Amino acid sequence: MCEPLDEPTSRRTMLGAMAASAAAAVAVPLLGAEPAAAATNTGSAPSGTGLSLTLLGTNGGPPPLATRYGISSALTVNGRTYVVDCGRGAVTQYLRAGLSMPSLAGIFLTHLHADHVVDYYSFPLLSAGASGAQGFQSPIEVYGPGSAGVASTVAGAPGTVPGTVEMTRLAGQAYAASPTFFMTEHAGIDPATMLTVHDVLPPSGVGASATNSAPAMAPFTVMENDDVKVTAVLVPHGAVFPAYAYRFDTDHGSIVFSGDTAPTPNIVTLAAHADVLVHEALYPAGLASLGLSQALIDHITSTHTDVAQLGRIAAESDAGTLVATHLGPGQQTVVSDATWRRLLRDSARRADFGGSMVLGTDLLRLPVRRRGPRRS
C-alpha cells in the first residue's frame, strides 16, 4: 500500500521536502569504501574541473505534474555540460540548476517519446544567439535515434517516423515565424544553424530491427572528444526503435543513463564498473490508483523496470551508485519519497548490493568520483 505525503504540497513544503530528500538520498551506504557521489540540492552550478550529475527532472511519463518536471539530466565535465533527454521544463530547470547556457556542449536523446524530447528544440529556439549568459554562440552537438524505417500512423506526417535529424528540420520549419521576424529586425539568428545534429543508428552487425529491438550487443562509440567518450547500447522499450542507453566515460568518472527500458542484459554490459548508473524506476503497485485500464498497466509494466529489480541490476553491473529517476508513478501523493527510499533499500538488500542507492529528485546534484581506470 502506498504511503501518502504527511504535509500539504505548498511551494515552501515542496522545497523543504526536496532538501530533506537530498539529505536522505544515499539510502544504502557503500561497504568499506567512499561513496561515489554525495547528493545536494543547492542549485549552485558546478565549477572548475571534475564531473557532476544534475537531475533536471525526474518524472516518468508524458502527463505533466506540478511537483516533478519532465525527465532530463545534465552532466558537467571540466565546465562543459551535456544534457541527456529534454523533458517538460528542461530549459527552465537547466537555468534553475545554475547551469550556464554558454557551457552547453551537447544534447543526447535516448529515444523520441514526447516526454523525452518536448523541450529539445526549446534550447536553440530560446537561446541560440542570445547575448552573454542567456545563450550559446557556438553550435552544439546533438545525438539521437535515427529513422529506422518504422511506418508513421500520424495523418500528414512523413511515411516513416522521422529520426533526430529530420525531427529537428521539421521543428525548425514549424517555428519558422519567430526567427524570421527576429532576423528581419536584425535581432536574431536561425536556431537551426546553432545545432549540429547526428542520427545514431545501431551497428549493422547486431541484427537489430523493429521486431528485435535490443539483441545482446557490445557497446558502440557514439562520440568522443578531449573530455568524454560516449558509448551506447540498444534497450527494449515496447514499439520504440531504436532506443538507447548511453555511457559517458571521463578522466573523473563514468555515468550511465538507462533511458526508458525493460530489464535487459545490455544495461549490465554498458554499466560494467560504472561510478554512477542513472536508471528508470517503476513501482507497479502504485499504478492501481491512477484509474488506468488493465491493458495500459500491462503495457507500462512490460516496457519499464520494476524498482525491485534495481538492486540486482546495480549489483550485476558493479556500479558504485545507482540513481533512480523517471519515477513512475511520479506523484508524491501516490508514492511518497519515503516509499521510494524503502523500495530502493529493500531492492539493494535482496541483491546484496554494496553500493549507494539514491532517490532522484528535481535539481539533485551529485559530484562524481572515479573508482577505477577509465574505460578505453
Side-chain angles (χ1 to χ4, degrees):
M1 185 173 181
C2 300
E3 299 173 11
L5 285 176
D6 295 324
E7 302 175 272
T9 53
S10 67
R11 182 176 183 274
R12 178 172 294 182
T13 298
M14 287 193 301
L15 292 175
M18 287 171 63
S21 173
V26 182
V28 181
L30 285 169
L31 303 179
E34 277 191 323
T40 66
N41 263 98
T42 63
S44 59
S47 60
T49 60
L51 175 66
S52 67
L53 166 70
T54 304
L55 303 183
L56 304 180
T58 57
N59 184 41
L65 298 181
T67 55
R68 291 190 198 277
Y69 280 80
I71 185 66
S72 184
S73 305
L75 63 91
T76 301
V77 54
N78 298 335
R80 302 174 75 187
T81 303
Y82 300 87
V83 169
V84 180
D85 286 328
C86 301
R88 180 188 62 88
V91 173
T92 297
Q93 291 293 89
Y94 186 95
L95 297 174
R96 290 185 68 204
L99 297 169
S100 160
M101 277 298 177
S103 81
L104 181 61
I107 293 174
F108 290 79
L109 304 176
T110 61
H111 64 291
L112 302 184
H113 266 156
D115 53 320
H116 292 251
V117 302
V118 68
D119 228 18
Y120 157 54
Y121 204 73
S122 295
F123 277 96
L125 187 65
L126 300 175
S127 304
S131 61
Q134 292 183 310
F136 47 92
Q137 287 74 43
S138 299
I140 63 170
E141 303 287 328
V142 177
Y143 296 85
S147 176
V150 176
S152 172
T153 59
V154 175
T160 57
V161 172
T164 303
V165 169
E166 182 68 359
M167 179 181 72
T168 305
R169 186 185 70 82
L170 292 170
Q173 291 183 352
Y175 291 103
S178 178
T180 296
F181 298 144
F182 281 135
M183 287 188 289
T184 299
E185 298 169 326
H186 308 288
I189 63 173
D190 181 353
T193 65
M194 304 305 290
L195 303 175
T196 303
V197 188
H198 308 268
D199 276 344
V200 179
L201 289 169
S204 58
V206 303
S209 67
T211 56
N212 185 28
S213 61
M217 65 181 298
F220 65 98
T221 300
V222 174
M223 182 274 275
E224 186 169 10
N225 61 25
D226 291 341
D227 289 321
V228 62
K229 178 180 180 179
V230 183
T231 52
V233 293
L234 289 162
V235 295
H237 187 45
V240 180
F241 179 72
Y244 296 111
Y246 292 113
R247 176 176 178 133
F248 293 75
D249 280 291
T250 80
D251 288 338
H252 310 286
S254 55
I255 305 176
V256 175
F257 298 88
S258 75
D260 284 11
T261 181
T264 171
N266 284 349
I267 290 291
V268 174
T269 300
L270 184 70
H273 315 300
D275 297 300
V276 176
L277 170 56
V278 184
H279 204 293
E280 68 137 78
L282 174 71
Y283 182 39
L287 299 175
S289 63
L290 299 181
L292 307 177
S293 68
Q294 188 58 50
L296 181 54
I297 290 175
D298 291 344
H299 167 74
I300 292 171
T301 55
S302 69
T303 57
H304 293 277
T305 301
D306 191 327
V307 62
Q309 297 290 320
L310 295 188
R312 175 191 61 78
I313 293 168
E316 291 180 359
S317 302
D318 186 31
T321 295
L322 185 139
V323 179
T325 188
H326 195 277
L327 304 175
Q331 300 95 318
Q332 285 101 329
T333 51
V334 175
V335 185
S336 70
D337 287 356
T339 297
W340 281 115
R341 287 193 291 270
R342 173 178 58 78
L343 293 168
L344 290 169
R345 285 194 300 268
D346 291 347
S347 179
R349 287 168 181 158
R350 282 194 300 270
D352 196 25
F353 172 56
S356 300
M357 300 290 271
V358 176
L359 172 62
T361 55
D362 290 5
L363 300 183
L364 188 69
R365 173 163 296 123
L366 298 91
V368 179
R369 295 191 294 274
R370 182 164 54 85
R371 295 185 300 154
R374 175 175 173 175
R375 177 184 279 187
S376 60

